[in-house]
Amino acid sequence: MQGPAVFIDAAIDDQAQELRKFFKELGAEISEEKSTKGIEDDLHKIIGVCDVCFKENTHSPEEVDAVLNSIVSIIVSIPLERGENLILSFCDKMTKAKEPTLARVCLQSLWRLFSNLNVTSPLRYHVYYHLVQVAKQVNQVKEVFTGVEQLKSQFAQCPPSNEQMQKLYRLLHEVLKDTNSELASKVMIELLGTYTAENASYAREDAMKCIVTALADPNTFLLDPLLSLKPVRFLEGELIHDLLSVFVSEKLPSYLEFYKNHKEFVNSQGLNHEQNIKKMRLLSFMQLAESNSEMTFQQLQDELQIKEEEVEPFIIEVLKTKLVRARMDQLARKVHISSTMHRTFGRPQWQQLRDLLLSWKSNLTLVQENINTVAAAQVELAQRQ
């Protein structure tokens, strides 16, 4: 997004009167005369009618941008304790523009307001929330949100309340789920992390959305961490939790059996059965690769329930994900596994990693001892000469 604008170099009272006159000429119900109650009342009335300039063919986007810029310059000059209602009202008006070009102008105006509020102002949260809403309208969410860490840094000096962050995470998930399912999953996991053991039972709907988003995301394969989230634990015994457990540690036949018994439930969650099968085949292959350094094409046909001519394209698809490092031997009709990402990473995997590191340490120690022996021998030889 563009940085803060250079605001109009004119007295605030003069700007307010010009704005009143401008909106009056557009047919808004507002007087041209300045309010006797002061600039805040002027601004209250100006903001109340500012959406009149969003009507089609009234003014160019550049002219509308200049008008909104003037309003923002007045808003940021008003003390924080007296500006809350004005800012909330302005933000709400910025969501009213229906025409995409004007909506982008509103997005820019909100960003100016956000950038020019003091970083310690709690009102920045409200402006940012509306920023996301408008960004969704014009498909520019990536301009205002790139990740959870970036979001947290925006509010580092004035963190919103837990309830406010939950509301914002829900909005972000909603606007991201159809365009960036991977980021939407991360947002939802962050949302669930805001719940404690005491209130986790109230997060049922959020927990279900989190699971569905993760299952539907074609790029999310490590699902085991979801099981440790407190709100997800409260779903134990329910079908959605059973389905998650299948994706976490079971193979394709288990999913097919689940779908056979609960077809309506899977479909009601908005999950695509064919996409689920594709993902379960990849997960099943990963699990097979954990314990098999070599697999035949026939074995893959049987385990993954695919046709002979589908084996090679499937292996190529697996390699594209970079979840597994392998080499395909078409002549011998085998696949040789070098390494694979584990579907679950619990105590056994940590133990395996520990053993591997200890083995490396032992080997390096042996190499060092051999080098020292050779070096000592060379020194002794040189001394004899």
Side-chain angles (χ1 to χ4, degrees), residues 50 59 118 346 348:
C50 71
H59 287 78
N118 192 294

Side-chain angles (χ1 to χ4, degrees), residues 41-72:
D41 190 57
D42 279 324
L43 193 52
H44 172 72
K45 289 181 170 59
I46 289 168
I47 292 173
V49 299
C50 71
D51 55 334
V52 71
C53 64
F54 298 156
K55 293 180 180 179
E56 293 183 13
N57 302 319
T58 52
H59 287 78
S60 69
E62 291 76 17
E63 290 173 314
V64 174
D65 184 54
V67 169
L68 296 180
N69 184 38
S70 182
I71 294 175
V72 170

